[in-house]
Structures are given as structure tokens and as C-alpha cells.
Amino acid sequence: MLRNASEDMAVHLKDRLRDMRDFLRAHRYERRATASTDKHFGDIEKLLGRAVSVVDDTLTLAESASRTVLPDRRNHELVLRPLTGYFTDFTEGERAFRRHMYRAAKALADTLQERDPPHIRETAFAGAYETLRQRQGHIVLALKKASGHETLRPLVAGLLAHLLQEICRNALSDPATPPTAQNAVTCISVFAPGLLASALALFDDSLPAPDLLDIATLAIAAREERMARSLKADQPITDLTAIFESLLTHLP
């Protein structure tokens, strides 16, 4: 229990520090834009620069603390498990799920052009995981008993639909990311490929995680607007499940 509490504190601390760093950096850029009309810009710029450095140092400390709680966190390379592997052990699986999906989403957010990424928080992935475990436990149970690709695909597609809906709901409830059509599309492009790549690993373990993520990213990009509309549809889970099942059938 103490270990879990310490881990939760480390994850929440890092998320809050990331938010603070993003805010300070954004405000720093705003101050630069108005430098010509503000004689005190130099002092403010120095102050904001120091604040960003302090937050970066604190994030490094928080990362070190989380490594103490989770000794297996030794690198930041992209790792993805087959999707069902995250649900064999709920405690360890939740940790791996939020870490892996966070890294995949951050990598995808860094590739966005002319679009601002949504806030990406480890706690959002942990929340989606826990919500699915509590409300859709029958899907997880069915997956454990299922055998054969034809039986697995619709179940995995449903699991993907529920996870994606919850992750996007969390992101689009943030005041900085209002639930506009464009923001919904951006959320799909950032959050859906990691989930899909993990599902693809369940059906084909011959490809490394970066290749699976590339394949999933291209596939989602061709359907992101349709998937974003599905989030607001009368039956979002039904719509998203159908899209994911089609992708799982034809990829990689």
C-alpha cells in the first residue's frame, strides 16, 4: 500500500510540474512577443528563465524519485506490450500501461505541425485504465478466455474504443483544450496510434514497437477525422469499435 501511495504521489507530482513548466514557457514566449513595448522585459525574462530551470531540475528530482519507487525504469525508449498483457496483472499492468502510452503520445505530439498538442499526463492514462477495469471488467475477462484471432479482434477493438474514449474525454475536459472538432482530431492523432500499435503487437509480434507505431500512426491519420466525429456520435463506442476492428483485420 505504501509503495502504491508513493508511486501515485510521484506520478501526480511529475504531471503537475510538467504543467507548471509548460505554463512558464508559454508565458515566457508571450513576454518575448511584447518585448518592444515593455522596458522591464529583461528582468522578467531572467525571472521566467530561472523558474523554468528550477522546474526542470525538480522534474529531474521527481524522475529520480520515481525510479526509486519503480527500479525497472531505466530508459525512455519506446516499449509497447501486446494490449492484453497490460491486464494480466492490474497493479504492474497499470504502471506499464501509463508509462508506455505516455511515451508513445509524447513522441507523436512532437511530430505535430501547426497544431498544439493536448496536455499529456500519466495520470490520464492511469485513470482510463482504472475506469475500464472497473466498468468494463467483462471485456477483460472475455479476453483472458478468448482464443483465436477471429474471437480476439472484436474484443480488442472494444477495449481500444473504451480506452480511447476515456483518454480523449479527459484531454478535452481540460480548459486549455476545449472540445472543438480540431482538438478532437488532434487528440485522436496523439492518443490512438499507441493504443492501436499495442493491439497490433498482440496479433503480430515480429515487428519492433517503433515500426508498429509508424504503421498505426499512418492508419489513424487516414481516419482521424472520422474517429473524432465518432467521439460525439450517438453510439461512440460502437462506431470506434467498428473502426478499430477493421484496422485490426487489415493491418499490419
Side-chain angles (χ1 to χ4, degrees):
M1 181 180 295
L2 181 60
R3 175 187 171 90
N4 290 339
S6 299
E7 180 185 343
D8 288 342
M9 289 174 62
V11 172
H12 279 83
L13 174 61
K14 286 192 295 178
D15 277 345
R16 299 293 77 76
L17 288 170
R18 288 167 182 144
D19 290 345
M20 186 185 300
R21 180 180 60 186
D22 291 344
F23 170 79
L24 288 170
R25 284 177 173 169
H27 194 63
R28 190 179 183 185
Y29 297 146
E30 290 172 4
R31 298 302 300 176
R32 283 177 178 169
T34 59
S36 59
T37 60
D38 192 342
K39 64 180 180 180
H40 301 296
F41 171 75
D43 292 339
I44 295 175
E45 168 68 9
K46 290 178 182 177
L47 179 62
L48 288 173
R50 290 194 193 102
V52 171
S53 296
V54 168
V55 175
D56 281 337
D57 290 343
T58 310
L59 268 171
T60 300
L61 180 61
E63 182 70 19
S64 298
S66 69
R67 287 196 189 99
T68 302
V69 176
L70 302 172
D72 62 324
R73 295 189 64 174
R74 288 185 286 268
N75 57 61
H76 295 279
E77 68 180 15
L78 180 64
V79 178
L80 291 172
R81 293 183 183 177
L83 189 63
T84 55
Y86 294 114
F87 295 92
T88 54
D89 178 337
F90 289 132
T91 300
E92 199 280 330
E94 181 273 329
R95 297 187 193 118
F97 179 79
R98 61 172 165 76
R99 294 201 308 269
H100 297 170
M101 293 304 153
Y102 175 84
R103 292 175 190 170
K106 288 293 288 184
L108 291 164
D110 289 342
T111 67
L112 291 178
Q113 296 180 355
E114 300 180 356
R115 285 191 287 173
D116 293 328
H119 283 300
I120 304 171
R121 299 183 175 96
E122 285 189 52
T123 47
F125 296 107
Y129 183 98
E130 183 62 19
T131 296
L132 184 134
R133 188 177 73 85
Q134 291 184 355
R135 299 180 183 176
Q136 308 297 330
H138 62 283
I139 297 179
V140 176
L141 182 60
L143 279 169
K144 291 180 179 180
K145 296 180 178 180
S147 61
H149 290 182
E150 296 303 318
T151 304
L152 279 173
R153 282 195 191 99
L155 293 172
V156 172
L159 187 68
L160 291 171
H162 282 287
L163 286 169
L164 181 61
Q165 183 193 47
E166 186 63 21
I167 292 168
C168 290
R169 183 202 63 76
N170 182 283
L172 294 172
S173 66
D174 191 298
T177 313
T180 64
Q182 183 58 61
N183 283 339
V185 170
T186 303
C187 284
I188 294 293
S189 66
V190 170
F191 297 125
L195 294 170
L196 177 59
S198 175
L200 291 175
L202 180 64
F203 298 98
D204 185 351
D205 60 1
S206 65
L207 294 175
D211 289 350
L212 287 173
L213 187 62
D214 287 344
I215 293 169
T217 300
L218 291 173
I220 294 297
R223 298 162 177 83
E224 60 186 14
E225 292 186 0
R226 178 186 169 192
M227 296 178 78
R229 290 194 298 270
S230 294
L231 291 175
K232 291 188 175 182
D234 293 336
Q235 296 180 310
I237 295 300
T238 299
D239 288 3
L240 289 171
T241 298
I243 296 171
F244 278 124
E245 187 171 0
S246 176
L247 290 170
L248 294 173
T249 301
H250 298 98
L251 294 175

